[in-house]
Amino acid sequence: MRFVYFPGCTSQSLARELDDSTRIVAQNLELDLIDTDWTCCGLGTYEETNPDMALALHARIFALAERESADLLTVCSTCQLVLARSNKILKDNPAALAKANKVINEFDLNYTGTIDVKHLLWVLLEDIGIDNFNKRVGRSLSGLKIGAFYGCHLLRPEAILGYENWRRPASLEKVIEAAGAEPLFDYRGRYLCCGFHILAIKERTALKMISRRLVEGGEVNADYLVTPCPLCHVALDIFQDQAGDYKLPILHLSQLIGLALGLSPERLKLGRHMVNVAKKW
Amino acid sequence: MPKTTINIRRYDPEKKQAYWQDFKVDVDESATVLEALMSIKDKQDGSLAFRRSCRSGICGSCAMRINGYEQLACQTKVLNETELFGFLNVEPLGNLKPEKDLIVDFEPFFEQLAKAKPWLVPRMPQPEKEYLMAPEERTRVDKAADCIYCSCCYSSCNVAAVDADFPGPAAIVKAARFAFDVRDIEADERAAVMTDEGMWWCSRCQFCTAVCPKDIPCQEVIVQLKNQALKTSDFRDFGARRTRAILKNIYRSGKINEFTLPSHIEGLRGFRQSHLAFKLLFKGKLPAPLPRRIDGLSEIKKIIEGSRE
């Protein structure tokens, strides 16, 4: 299976372990990751600056993927929503597509609307399939209670993301179960906001939100939280000690997959987290 | 049909205590949560208190938190909820204090709304007859004008849940409704006022868009008002600075530069998080001060420059 890999800026630095673990896991799952000359998705700020500019910048990314005849694979909830939204607009609105193409044609690029933007979580469950994954599981995380932290941008609005019912998501819990661990459906924070996007804007408020999500994790006695979004990871892990004393380790989805496949914690770079991921398996 | 159990989060104002009470009701396939509540009030417990009026999705009175999410009770089918969740929990709206059972104090919601100066400031002098508005001009405010003040958005807002100063989606959408109305002359002022009131503290949790019973794309409208604000912004607000700083990063290298971003946003104050730099360095993930530029940087620069015209 071939995918154009869209790592997103955070996985290149603040959450480098995400890129490292994604590549190793992809290799193990026989996912061919194609690298392109991608640029930042904009975190939703391009649209604030200039909606047409946003579509042109994103059209360039999609055109580069289309050249490879492969869908985009994201590993960040925000990249997923931001790109999926632009892709939907370009696919549904011929005038918008023409306008964006007029800009990128100058660079010998053209987008015809044939690629999709998919998150690793969905690729695992749909393209690879949970049965295939179960066959490859080499290590059971039984005895562990793991709370899913989806990150808002992987669930809402359903009209753009279209993967699962936004009010009753269960995809991450399926992966947790497949890994042998106990999913925590009562974890109240699983579909709530970590506050990352206002960390640099109103830090006090963001830290309160981070604190709540961690308190909620404590309420259900979570051993770990797992998130498919490195921005949530930055908030919940790097800023955890500023939000309070929680000692709740946060795993990246790719690391959870890797652990389940039997890959070593060292190769999955679990040591790079701020909150120590104590080995409880 | 067997009876359905509805768990209601009630509030006793005398004891100042919230408590769960469950009721069993007969419902048919089409019964709404509102009908179930009215049946309970009618036949089982007349003291059950909740707001309702039109029962047809337009007055906004019966907004409440059903199975964890804000909805209009009159537009929510009991069986849809029990099929999806396996139970039916009804609680008062979030972010507002309960007064009795499912009735909450709406004052804070309206105080936030007032920040938006929710009335038209018309172009003067007034025309002889009516102000003319072309259909495409009206389309611009169609969705934002649909607000029924139900507070589903404000009550589900993850920022309002921790920050009572945040204006919330309804107020920002209200300001946008007038800012984009061609008859109104205060577009720039409205955007600036909402910036001062905290519009940029929105964490983009997308709840507002997801829960609005009138399908107002709240997030899209908020982004449009931010776009308006940036046209005349003095960039004192951190939110505006962040958007500008991110674009600067992209212009310079094609990617975010976390090393320089905090100081671009907060100036010297950005350095108060510099202890993080040492922690990150120790963990081998300190962002590079001079990030590698993407190959097609000239294309990015052209796209950004071209959009400025």
Side-chain angles (χ1 to χ4, degrees):
Chain A
M1 253 177 278
R2 298 168 66 244
F3 286 96
V4 168
Y5 183 33
F6 192 87
C9 304
T10 313
S11 74
Q12 308 295 284
S13 58
L14 293 182
R16 265 194 55 202
E17 65 276 3
L18 171 61
D19 187 48
D20 295 332
S21 54
T22 298
R23 289 186 187 273
I24 295 167
V25 159
Q27 208 176 37
N28 190 293
L29 293 171
E30 286 159 40
L31 289 176
D32 186 16
L33 300 183
I34 304 161
D35 289 306
T36 59
D37 194 39
W38 58 276
T39 184
C40 176
C41 73
L43 288 101
T45 67
Y46 293 162
E47 291 79 350
E48 292 167 358
T49 300
N50 183 322
D52 290 335
M53 178 195 78
L55 288 175
L57 285 168
H58 292 157
R60 178 182 169 276
I61 295 169
F62 302 146
L64 289 172
E66 207 173 49
R67 256 191 197 164
E68 306 289 342
S69 303
D71 287 337
L72 274 171
L73 176 80
T74 60
V75 288
C76 168
S77 298
T78 290
C79 293
Q80 177 61 42
L81 176 61
V82 169
L83 293 176
R85 179 188 169 276
S86 285
N87 201 21
K88 188 172 198 303
I89 293 172
L90 292 171
K91 283 184 179 188
D92 292 347
N93 187 333
L97 183 61
K99 209 175 189 183
N101 273 327
K102 191 152 176 260
V103 177
I104 63 174
N105 284 163
E106 212 195 303
F107 321 121
D108 290 327
L109 288 168
N110 195 63
Y111 183 48
T112 64
T114 60
I115 63 117
D116 287 325
V117 184
K118 294 178 179 175
H119 191 280
L120 175 65
L121 174 61
W122 306 342
V123 167
L124 178 67
L125 292 171
E126 296 299 307
D127 299 75
I128 294 172
I130 202 72
D131 294 327
N132 270 328
F133 179 61
N134 276 326
K135 283 190 203 137
R136 291 166 182 265
V137 166
R139 175 197 281 118
S140 172
L141 302 180
S142 71
L144 282 181
K145 293 174 156 198
I146 302 182
F149 196 91
Y150 284 86
C152 310
H153 296 166
L154 211 57
L155 296 177
R156 299 177 296 272
E158 195 181 324
I160 295 175
L161 295 161
Y163 181 70
E164 61 190 319
N165 187 312
W166 68 278
R167 295 182 63 214
R168 192 97 167 105
S171 56
L172 249 184
E173 279 87 359
K174 281 202 186 105
V175 180
I176 293 170
E177 266 174 343
E182 184 193 328
L184 300 167
F185 279 99
D186 288 338
Y187 170 49
R188 288 191 297 148
R190 59 196 271 265
Y191 57 75
L192 298 179
C193 187
C194 69
F196 172 86
H197 285 281
I198 54 171
L199 261 174
I201 300 175
K202 197 174 183 191
E203 193 179 275
R204 230 175 44 238
T205 297
L207 288 174
K208 279 192 197 157
M209 292 168 77
I210 293 168
S211 177
R212 283 212 178 176
R213 304 293 88 84
L214 295 166
V215 164
E216 287 153 2
E219 280 169 9
V220 290
N221 294 313
D223 290 309
Y224 305 132
L225 293 182
V226 63
T227 181
C229 180
L231 302 181
C232 300
H233 195 275
V234 166
L236 297 170
D237 179 66
I238 296 181
F239 284 85
Q240 187 168 127
D241 62 348
Q242 293 186 44
D245 184 26
Y246 300 103
K247 297 196 176 57
L248 180 51
I250 321 287
L251 296 175
H252 291 281
L253 169 67
S254 52
Q255 291 171 330
L256 177 70
I257 297 172
L259 282 174
L261 291 171
L263 298 170
S264 76
E266 291 75 34
R267 287 189 73 201
L268 296 167
K269 305 284 192 259
L270 284 174
R272 287 210 204 270
H273 298 196
M274 291 302 170
V275 179
N276 184 38
V277 183
K279 186 179 161 189
K280 292 188 188 178
W281 55 84
Chain B
M1 280 196 70
K3 287 182 191 276
T4 302
T5 304
I6 304 184
N7 307 307
I8 304 179
R9 184 85 169 144
R10 302 187 66 170
Y11 181 77
D12 182 332
E14 273 159 49
K15 292 186 188 155
K16 289 198 175 29
Q17 226 173 33
Y19 60 100
W20 286 99
Q21 186 175 0
D22 55 64
F23 295 90
K24 289 185 167 42
V25 268
D26 275 315
V27 291
D28 64 26
E29 289 97 54
S30 65
T32 63
V33 172
L34 180 61
E35 283 161 7
L37 291 174
M38 288 173 74
S39 161
I40 294 168
K41 188 176 176 66
D42 203 29
K43 299 178 185 146
Q44 295 185 54
D45 184 345
S47 74
L48 180 64
F50 52 95
R51 288 194 172 107
R52 75 277 183 204
S53 183
C54 76
R55 71 203 181 351
S56 50
I58 193 63
C59 74
S61 305
C62 65
M64 45 190 82
R65 188 170 276 193
I66 299 170
N67 280 340
Y69 298 89
E70 270 65 17
Q71 301 172 84
L72 295 183
C74 66
Q75 293 206 308
T76 306
K77 278 170 67 171
V78 171
L79 288 184
N80 279 355
E81 293 300 305
T82 52
E83 268 166 26
L84 189 57
F85 287 88
F87 50 77
L88 177 50
N89 290 344
V90 180
E91 298 169 87
L93 286 171
N95 300 345
L96 297 170
K97 289 203 171 72
E99 288 183 326
K100 186 182 177 189
D101 292 341
L102 299 168
I103 297 180
V104 296
D105 175 17
F106 249 76
E107 270 317 296
F109 173 79
F110 286 114
E111 276 164 18
Q112 301 297 0
L113 201 63
K115 292 175 181 174
K117 200 173 181 183
W119 58 85
L120 189 77
V121 179
R123 236 178 305 116
M124 290 296 192
Q126 285 181 324
E128 280 276 311
K129 293 181 181 179
E130 64 281 338
Y131 283 98
L132 291 178
M133 194 191 239
E136 56 273 13
E137 288 172 336
R138 178 52 163 110
T139 309
R140 189 116 202 263
V141 300
D142 269 351
K143 277 295 165 192
D146 277 350
C147 179
I148 58 174
Y149 312 112
C150 64
S151 187
C152 280
C153 62
Y154 184 74
S155 291
S156 63
C157 176
N158 279 209
V159 176
V162 299
D163 189 336
D165 293 327
F166 181 58
I172 302 171
V173 168
K174 199 84 219 152
R177 180 257 174 278
F178 288 112
F180 302 134
D181 191 317
V182 292
R183 302 166 299 165
D184 194 271
I185 51 164
E186 293 208 342
D188 292 333
E189 289 85 343
R190 290 180 185 281
V193 162
M194 290 319 286
T195 293
D196 289 339
E197 294 290 356
M199 164 171 73
W200 293 83
W201 307 336
C202 165
S203 73
R204 307 161 195 270
C205 73
Q206 312 289 324
F207 262 104
C208 48
T209 297
V211 300
C212 179
K214 294 284 122 189
D215 294 326
I216 301 170
C218 306
Q219 259 302 289
E220 303 281 334
V221 176
I222 294 172
V223 168
Q224 284 163 13
L225 193 62
K226 285 174 171 175
N227 177 256
Q228 179 70 37
L230 288 174
K231 290 181 179 149
T232 54
S233 176
D234 58 9
F235 289 98
R236 277 182 307 127
D237 180 86
F238 284 175
R241 290 171 76 98
R242 179 179 180 259
T243 291
R244 185 179 64 172
I246 287 173
L247 194 65
K248 260 197 200 134
N249 273 186
I250 301 334
Y251 188 83
R252 290 215 180 116
S253 69
K255 306 228 173 96
I256 298 269
N257 180 354
E258 292 92 349
F259 199 88
T260 60
L261 199 60
S263 51
H264 275 149
I265 298 169
E266 301 180 54
L268 286 174
R269 280 192 65 221
F271 288 98
R272 81 183 170 334
Q273 290 286 6
S274 49
H275 64 278
L276 277 180
F278 293 105
K279 280 188 182 174
L280 290 167
L281 181 65
F282 182 69
K283 291 286 184 178
K285 47 186 196 178
L286 183 68
L290 295 169
R292 204 188 70 82
R293 296 169 176 198
I294 65 163
D295 294 335
L297 187 60
S298 58
E299 296 170 11
I300 304 304
K301 284 191 194 293
K302 282 217 181 91
I303 294 175
I304 295 174
E305 284 160 9
S307 73
R308 285 191 184 137
E309 282 129 37

